[in-house]
Amino acid sequence: MLKINEVRINRINKGKFLGYASILIEGGLIIEGIELYEGRNGRYILMPLSRQKNVRRNSAYPMTEEARTTILQEISAKYDEGVEV
């Protein structure tokens, strides 16, 4: 099970793009630049990309669907804390 200790959100709110997130995993790994979007079927994330010779590749990504779901849920919960409904 993936343990996320901290989530930080930078709200942008431009159309479907909600903002950027950074997460601290198990007190020892930070992933910055995770993008949060609102899609037709709910929210989704895009992991950070690196560019090398006109090729864009994920620089970090979850290895399992469970890990991706955990990251999305934690980021969405933090995003919702600061949004007035």
Side-chain angles (χ1 to χ4, degrees):
M1 180 80 166
L2 185 67
K3 182 176 180 191
I4 299 174
N5 300 102
E6 186 177 337
V7 177
R8 294 184 182 185
I9 300 287
N10 181 9
R11 287 175 184 76
I12 305 294
N13 296 321
K14 282 189 173 183
K16 295 180 182 202
F17 179 52
L18 300 177
Y20 291 101
S22 298
I23 60 174
L24 172 62
I25 299 174
E26 297 184 7
L29 176 66
I30 295 174
I31 301 176
E32 296 180 329
I34 301 170
E35 298 176 16
L36 178 63
Y37 289 87
E38 186 71 55
R40 279 187 249 164
N41 299 321
R43 289 184 182 160
Y44 63 95
I45 56 173
L46 294 179
M47 298 303 287
L49 295 171
S50 65
R51 293 183 180 149
Q52 297 173 346
K53 296 182 183 180
N54 297 326
V55 176
R56 296 176 69 186
R57 297 178 190 245
N58 285 96
S59 56
Y61 52 90
M63 294 294 293
T64 65
E65 191 60 35
E66 178 186 9
R68 179 174 289 278
T69 300
T70 300
I71 293 169
L72 175 59
Q73 289 171 344
E74 293 284 335
I75 290 172
S76 288
K78 185 68 171 186
Y79 180 86
D80 290 340
E81 284 179 13
V83 176
E84 294 181 18
V85 180

